[in-house]
Amino acid sequence: MLQKSETLRGYSLLTPTLIIMAIGILVPFGILIAMSFWTQVGFGFDLTPTVANYEMAADRPIYGALIKRSLWMSGMATIATVLLCYPMAYFVAFHVHRNKMMWIVLMTLPFWTSYLLRVFAWKVVLGYDGVINSALLSVGLIDAPLEFLLYSQTAVIITLAHAWAAFAILPMYVSLEKIDRSLLEAATDLGDGPVMRFFRITLPLSLPGVISATLLIFIPTTGDYITPALLGGPDGIMIGNLIQKQFGAVNNWPMGAALAIILMLSIAAIALGFMFSTMFVRRRIT
Amino acid sequence: MKPDSYIERTNRPLQFYAVLFLIVLYVPVLFLPLFSFNDSIYVKFPLKSFTFQWYLELLDRAPVWASLMNSIKVAVTTSIIATGFGIFAAKAITRYRLPGRGPVVGFIMLPLVVPGIILGVALLVLISQLGIRLSLYTVTVGHIIVCLPFAIATMIPRFEGFDKSVEEASADLGENAWWTFWRVTFPMVFPGVLASLLLTFTVSFDEFIMAFFLSGSDATLPIYIWGQLRFPQAFPSILALASIILVVSFILVFLGQWINRGAGAGSLESTKNT
Amino acid sequence: MTQENAFISIRNVNKFFGKFQAINDVSMDIDHGEFFSLLGSSGCGKTTLLRMLAGFESVSSGEIYIDGQPMSGVPPHHRPVNMVFQNYAIFPHLNVRDNIAYGLRRQKLSRAKRREMVDEMLELIKLPEYGDRKATQLSGGQRQRIALARALILKPKVLLLDEPLGALDKQLREQMQLELRALQRTVGITFVFVTHDQEEALTLSDRIAVMSDGRDLQVDTPTRLYESPVNREVASFIGTMNFFDGTVKSVGSDTAVINVDGLGEITAPACTVSLLAGDRINVAIRPEKFLLTDQKPEGVQNCVKGHLDNAAYLGERSHYYVSVEGISQPVAVSAQNQSRAGGTEDRKRPVWLSWDNAAIVVLKDA
């Protein structure tokens, strides 16, 4: 009796949030899915259900190629971010003894500030007339600006990795911090040097953090369109840019909706595959 | 564990890496303020003379002021609503036995993970189907959805940080639930509330993707900047504007984290000494 | 036993954590095959010393030799020692078998041989059916055995144990004490055991080092620690002790005559400390060395009259507190309840205390 009323009171406190989330996520997703089966007619829609949008997405190679490229680019950015951030998380967890909080705040501070401006900053750095090129030119290391810096997939990957670094550090830090130090001492005591100890104890025990970091970066970056729009050039365009165009200049919302659904499904498939494979690997390495 | 024990002994290469990491994290962003004081419309080395010109130019631009006011309106509303709902949600999540708590929390945190563009177009589709005109209100709704998970995540550690028995003591001393909340719970979670207000304000103020899809004729500041990026002659004053926004954002976020350092960090602080 | 042939030799070791000195000029030798305990209250430096043997803490100055080899500069994973951690440090992501086999990786054994060795160990720790259990599904006692097996399977020259029984409840702890002692005799490996529990140390050890504030106060067998403590600190740390102030009157070849406040003139046996006539010293007598009688006893070496202050009945024995004129603290006396129940007697009645000269311990630090 008491428990029931407690549950009820708990959920009543959650109601405003749940309503907002339902309005903001569930309902829109329902309509998005429905719309992906509609047809754009001028500025209105033909509501007759059809899979034409999906057929078109399957038929025209551009769509598949863009989705593949998006997954590949954000996959690269994710790997780069996780690899670069893991040592940092490790450092703060094991080698910072005073002012730990200060380090965490310092590392995560940029994440809270404008994404647009951080991407913009990389345009300033990598641009044709940008910081790197003009600096190299003025000291005489190069004769003409390096063109590959801006408007390339590399530029997009670098920027994504930089922009999402803080997001990767936190979960990895938390799972590293949780590791009982005596386990590491026990491994050493039983004959493991630092490298073996890392691969046999530290890495397997911090794997949950690595997995969440990977998903937390991979999923949102796949749909990014700001970075490719500012830094990608024609080769660096991602699926997000195409979806955005369907809702803007192209004005084919149902096609955009279908592409968004396809993107979500591919992300979900890859994320699930990733989680299963890490579980498998985890069994193997231990 | 003593700092100089075998496992946690000083590791020079790792220290070097950490410092390098922080430098790479901050330096690209620091080029914006650097060039905003450069007396040239080209953003390149070598630097010319020092100038305040680009900042002064901002003062004369009416659209900058208009979009600034729009952004502030949206961000203030968003932060108050998101934090307000967040308090109750955080209390519910930490204080009550909720069946299905895991999935519910996962659902609430979804906007942190779902690609911004998908969230944006989904809301756009809903709003257009309801026949609502795009305006600052629709932007605010989008921002509340993006900010609620941040607000809740900021305040949950605060609620976890103090003992439920304190609230029970208040009830035992004769206060009803409402007054217990205001006299006991709220003062104890207040730093978390303040931090949440500052952080969600900043997130909303700086947010671009939702605003991109959901704003009508009234632009927020990031939308205004996006529009100006096409014009090379506007570049220096955009650098100045971006510098101001970055500095203000950094200060607000730092303040928020600092106020809340006892909590979210609290879990960190407590693990430190074990 | 000398430095040259001692199995473990700790020579003038100091350890500083910043300005704090955790170990203060400690020297001790441990024999091969010995069950050796480091005993002291928390913060006395016993765990630090053990961790220095394992290599987890560096030595600020001095040297530790194990089997003749100096250990400074040798990292923990190259030392011929293994450790059982206070919380057992069982790897949570491995099952029991993999936990026990963890350290065998370096030995490049065949899969079958490794399996056989693990099975042997599981047998030894009486958990033969548990190989495939997850480490997280074990009770405290089981984790403790696995921690032991994991270390012993490597056949270390020395096994270090950091309060391994502290986390267990009383009954299990007593059972594990017996098993641990038996196990040590079976494998014949030198055990260095850290504990704050004096009873545990007395039960298990061949020899005990009593430590306090980073120093070793006395290294001796349990009997000698109890019967002949070298100073007041050791005497009061192990068991209960009555202390009396006194002045040395004269010193003979193997006895000394001491004038003890309140007890009068007594003749003490030869002791480890050198005495000079006129020294102010401490005399100590264990509570159970006193004989408590209602009448003045006949034909005893020493006796004194007092008043029964307080009595506590503890079943098999009783504790009495007797106030004696000239002594500020009441004298604690412990007696077996052989014929009658104690504790119910009248308070404040006169009683007689008597004792043998052999019961007297002379301590230098007055």
Side-chain angles (χ1 to χ4, degrees):
Chain A
M1 208 31 219
L2 189 76
Q3 261 180 30
K4 200 162 199 176
S5 81
E6 195 183 297
T7 304
L8 214 65
R9 274 169 54 201
Y11 270 107
S12 67
L13 284 177
L14 264 181
T15 308
T17 301
L18 288 176
I19 289 176
I20 281 275
M21 289 298 163
I23 295 176
I25 298 178
L26 283 187
V27 179
F29 268 75
I31 299 182
L32 196 69
I33 292 170
M35 182 176 271
S36 70
F37 297 103
W38 297 349
T39 317
Q40 183 91 27
V41 182
F43 284 97
F45 305 108
D46 176 356
L47 304 190
T48 329
T50 164
V51 291
N53 294 316
Y54 290 97
E55 276 173 8
M56 181 139 89
D59 287 347
R60 291 217 192 144
I62 173 80
Y63 295 119
L66 268 187
I67 285 187
K68 250 186 257 163
R69 184 201 279 172
S70 303
L71 294 175
W72 188 80
M73 281 168 71
S74 81
M76 293 308 286
T78 305
I79 292 169
T81 315
V82 170
L83 286 182
L84 290 170
C85 290
Y86 191 94
M88 197 63 198
Y90 183 92
F91 172 76
V92 179
F94 288 105
H95 294 284
V96 175
H97 305 290
R98 266 160 299 179
N99 299 328
K100 224 169 224 205
M101 201 49 222
M102 200 66 196
W103 276 88
I104 303 278
V105 171
L106 263 181
M107 288 184 312
T108 51
L109 202 53
F111 175 77
W112 292 91
T113 64
S114 174
Y115 186 64
L116 178 66
L117 293 183
R118 279 179 288 143
V119 176
F120 174 53
W122 275 101
K123 192 182 169 78
V124 168
V125 172
L126 298 173
Y128 187 78
D129 267 347
V131 169
I132 292 180
N133 271 331
S134 60
L136 290 177
L137 270 174
S138 62
V139 295
L141 273 173
I142 53 173
D143 299 327
L146 302 167
E147 293 186 23
F148 67 86
L149 285 179
L150 192 61
Y151 304 131
S152 67
Q153 296 189 2
T154 320
V156 175
I157 291 169
I158 291 175
T159 309
L160 285 178
H162 183 260
W164 292 87
F167 223 41
I169 286 180
L170 272 184
M172 294 195 288
Y173 166 77
V174 169
S175 65
L176 282 165
E177 183 69 51
K178 267 198 248 165
I179 297 176
D180 187 341
R181 301 309 190 255
S182 66
L183 294 177
L184 304 181
E185 292 188 336
T188 308
D189 186 65
L190 295 169
D192 276 353
V195 175
M196 283 315 292
R197 182 184 76 215
F198 175 78
F199 283 106
R200 296 179 76 193
I201 303 294
T202 317
L203 187 59
L205 289 179
S206 63
L207 214 53
V210 175
I211 292 172
S212 11
T214 307
L215 295 177
L216 279 176
I217 300 166
F218 179 74
I219 297 175
T221 51
T222 318
D224 191 23
Y225 70 98
I226 305 175
T227 312
L230 284 178
L231 298 160
D235 288 341
I237 290 294
M238 288 165 72
I239 189 70
N241 302 83
L242 196 63
I243 296 175
Q244 182 249 312
K245 281 210 174 66
Q246 303 297 321
F247 286 91
V250 177
N251 195 35
N252 186 352
W253 287 26
M255 189 65 214
L259 289 175
I261 301 297
I262 293 172
L263 175 63
M264 284 300 282
L265 291 177
S266 351
I267 293 174
I270 289 186
L272 281 177
F274 171 74
M275 280 164 74
F276 280 119
S277 60
T278 44
M279 270 163 67
F280 179 72
V281 170
R282 197 177 174 183
R283 287 223 187 88
R284 291 296 301 273
I285 52 177
T286 56
Chain B
M1 181 83 28
K2 302 300 194 298
D4 57 349
S5 77
Y6 179 77
I7 302 289
E8 303 198 336
R9 70 201 185 286
T10 312
N11 183 334
R12 289 284 164 209
L14 206 56
Q15 276 180 342
F16 179 75
Y17 180 83
V19 173
L20 195 73
F21 186 98
L22 281 187
I23 291 173
V24 173
L25 194 64
Y26 278 88
V27 162
V29 179
L30 291 179
F31 280 117
L32 299 181
L34 177 69
F35 282 102
S36 72
F37 293 111
N38 187 25
D39 192 4
S40 162
I41 68 160
Y42 300 108
V43 182
K44 62 191 234 181
F45 285 114
L47 293 169
K48 300 277 196 296
S49 58
F50 181 88
T51 180
F52 265 121
Q53 178 190 348
W54 311 120
Y55 288 86
L56 295 173
E57 204 172 85
L58 282 179
L59 297 176
D60 297 333
R61 291 201 185 188
V64 173
W65 289 100
S67 52
L68 172 68
M69 288 319 291
N70 290 341
S71 279
I72 290 177
K73 272 186 235 166
V74 171
V76 167
T77 319
T78 300
S79 62
I80 291 174
I81 295 178
T83 305
F85 287 4
I87 295 174
F88 295 113
K91 182 173 160 68
I93 290 167
T94 50
R95 281 286 183 268
Y96 293 95
R97 289 168 44 92
L98 297 180
R101 189 186 123 138
V104 166
V105 173
F107 172 64
I108 293 173
M109 296 294 163
L110 219 50
L112 285 180
V113 192
V114 176
I117 189 168
I118 300 213
L119 221 51
V121 299
L123 265 178
L124 173 65
V125 163
L126 169 73
I127 285 165
S128 73
Q129 286 304 297
L130 290 176
I132 299 172
R133 255 177 21 132
L134 294 178
S135 65
L136 290 181
Y137 293 109
T138 51
V139 176
T140 309
V141 170
H143 281 187
I144 291 172
I145 289 160
V146 171
C147 288
L148 243 176
F150 285 117
I152 294 171
T154 307
M155 288 185 286
I156 278 180
R158 272 283 154 191
F159 277 95
E160 279 172 348
F162 76 94
D163 203 332
K164 196 180 176 177
S165 60
V166 181
E167 288 172 314
E168 287 166 351
S170 164
D172 182 61
L173 295 170
E175 286 294 18
N176 64 26
W178 177 251
W179 280 107
T180 293
F181 180 80
W182 285 111
R183 291 187 61 192
V184 178
T185 315
F186 190 75
M188 294 188 88
V189 298
F190 185 67
V193 173
L194 213 56
S196 164
L197 284 173
L198 287 168
L199 293 176
T200 50
F201 178 90
T202 315
V203 170
S204 165
F205 191 82
D206 288 343
E207 206 281 336
F208 174 70
I209 299 174
M210 289 304 221
F212 180 83
F213 285 104
L214 302 179
S215 62
S217 47
D218 292 325
T220 62
L221 213 44
I223 298 296
Y224 172 77
I225 291 174
W226 174 260
Q228 295 297 303
L229 289 181
R230 273 173 294 164
F231 308 115
Q233 70 274 19
F235 229 65
S237 54
I238 292 302
L239 284 177
L241 183 56
S243 307
I244 297 172
I245 295 175
L246 279 174
V247 169
V248 172
S249 301
F250 270 83
I251 292 172
L252 289 182
V253 172
F254 189 81
L255 224 62
Q257 303 277 34
W258 193 249
I259 291 167
N260 207 25
R261 67 190 181 282
S267 45
L268 307 178
E269 289 294 321
S270 60
T271 51
K272 193 169 80 176
N273 297 319
T274 53
Chain C
M1 156 183 21
T2 61
Q3 183 189 336
E4 289 77 44
N5 60 23
F7 190 61
I8 300 174
S9 181
I10 297 167
R11 294 290 104 192
N12 305 98
V13 164
N14 284 289
K15 177 68 184 176
F16 292 90
F17 292 119
K19 281 187 181 135
F20 172 69
Q21 184 161 16
I23 299 290
N24 190 345
D25 194 31
V26 166
S27 294
M28 56 180 81
D29 294 317
I30 301 168
D31 254 352
H32 190 269
E34 202 172 17
F35 198 122
F36 190 90
S37 290
L38 297 169
L39 175 64
S41 45
S42 71
C44 72
K46 57 190 192 299
T47 297
T48 304
L49 193 60
L50 192 80
R51 290 171 57 80
M52 287 162 96
L53 285 169
F56 294 126
E57 306 290 351
S58 58
V59 175
S60 299
S61 71
E63 184 60 276
I64 293 172
Y65 300 86
I66 296 176
D67 204 7
Q69 300 297 312
M71 283 293 125
S72 28
V74 180
H77 54 287
H78 290 148
R79 294 196 181 196
V81 303
N82 285 116
M83 184 148 163
V84 174
F85 289 79
Q86 189 167 15
N87 63 356
Y88 313 138
I90 302 296
F91 303 123
H93 58 303
L94 304 179
N95 65 18
V96 169
R97 185 172 289 284
D98 291 340
N99 259 287
I100 295 176
Y102 190 92
L104 292 177
R105 186 193 58 84
R106 274 156 48 105
Q107 300 184 9
K108 308 257 182 290
L109 301 167
S110 73
R111 196 173 279 263
K113 173 71 184 157
R114 190 181 299 190
R115 208 181 160 80
E116 186 192 316
M117 287 174 75
V118 174
D119 284 338
E120 246 168 60
M121 270 299 152
L122 284 168
E123 205 68 50
L124 184 71
I125 59 168
K126 303 185 185 114
L127 292 175
E129 305 299 320
Y130 282 71
D132 298 320
R133 287 280 183 103
K134 286 188 87 174
T136 42
Q137 299 167 339
L138 300 169
S139 70
Q142 290 165 343
R143 295 163 78 84
Q144 203 258 357
R145 289 160 201 245
I146 288 156
L148 266 171
R150 186 174 71 177
L152 287 175
I153 199 170
L154 302 178
K155 306 206 164 47
K157 289 180 176 169
V158 182
L159 186 71
L160 308 172
L161 303 103
D162 186 7
E163 305 216 24
L165 307 177
L168 307 178
D169 59 52
K170 192 169 183 295
Q171 212 176 347
L172 188 56
R173 191 161 65 225
E174 281 166 4
Q175 182 198 335
M176 284 309 297
Q177 284 175 4
L178 295 175
E179 286 189 22
L180 205 56
R181 188 72 183 121
L183 187 69
Q184 195 262 339
R185 294 215 169 103
T186 315
V187 295
I189 291 172
T190 309
F191 276 33
V192 181
F193 184 91
V194 159
T195 182
H196 66 270
D197 183 334
Q198 40 140 328
E199 238 174 87
E200 190 169 281
L202 294 175
T203 313
L204 287 171
S205 318
D206 293 320
R207 285 192 310 144
I208 299 170
V210 179
M211 294 186 66
S212 173
D213 290 331
R215 291 169 214 270
D216 54 320
L217 301 177
Q218 185 172 0
V219 182
D220 234 322
T221 61
T223 321
R224 286 196 45 83
L225 275 181
Y226 189 80
E227 302 291 344
S228 323
V230 295
N231 61 24
R232 205 173 160 142
E233 225 176 328
V234 175
S236 55
F237 189 76
I238 294 177
T240 313
M241 189 65 110
N242 292 297
F243 296 102
F244 307 95
D245 295 323
T247 313
V248 180
K249 196 174 169 200
S250 65
V251 183
S253 59
D254 54 357
T255 54
V257 180
I258 299 160
N259 202 347
V260 180
D261 307 357
L263 298 185
E265 206 164 276
I266 59 168
T267 305
C271 59
T272 48
V273 289
S274 57
L275 299 172
L276 291 172
D279 279 353
R280 283 295 285 173
I281 54 156
N282 252 228
V283 168
I285 303 176
R286 294 280 180 199
E288 71 277 10
K289 310 282 185 197
F290 284 110
L291 182 65
L292 184 105
T293 46
D294 294 339
Q295 308 295 322
K296 181 168 183 173
E298 297 296 325
V300 294
Q301 288 170 309
N302 313 286
C303 76
V304 68
K305 192 182 175 192
H307 287 89
L308 188 62
D309 224 21
N310 215 336
Y313 175 66
L314 296 174
E316 95 234 45
R317 73 206 133 87
S318 292
H319 285 174
Y320 302 91
Y321 296 91
V322 178
S323 55
V324 175
E325 209 175 316
I327 304 171
S328 53
Q329 293 279 325
V331 179
V333 178
S334 168
Q336 295 282 325
N337 294 326
Q338 276 170 334
S339 53
R340 61 191 168 122
T344 53
E345 293 138 304
D346 312 341
R347 306 282 152 83
K348 295 294 168 199
R349 69 186 159 84
V351 289
W352 290 86
L353 294 176
S354 55
W355 65 94
D356 283 351
N357 281 341
I360 296 164
V361 181
V362 177
L363 305 168
K364 184 92 179 185
D365 50 346

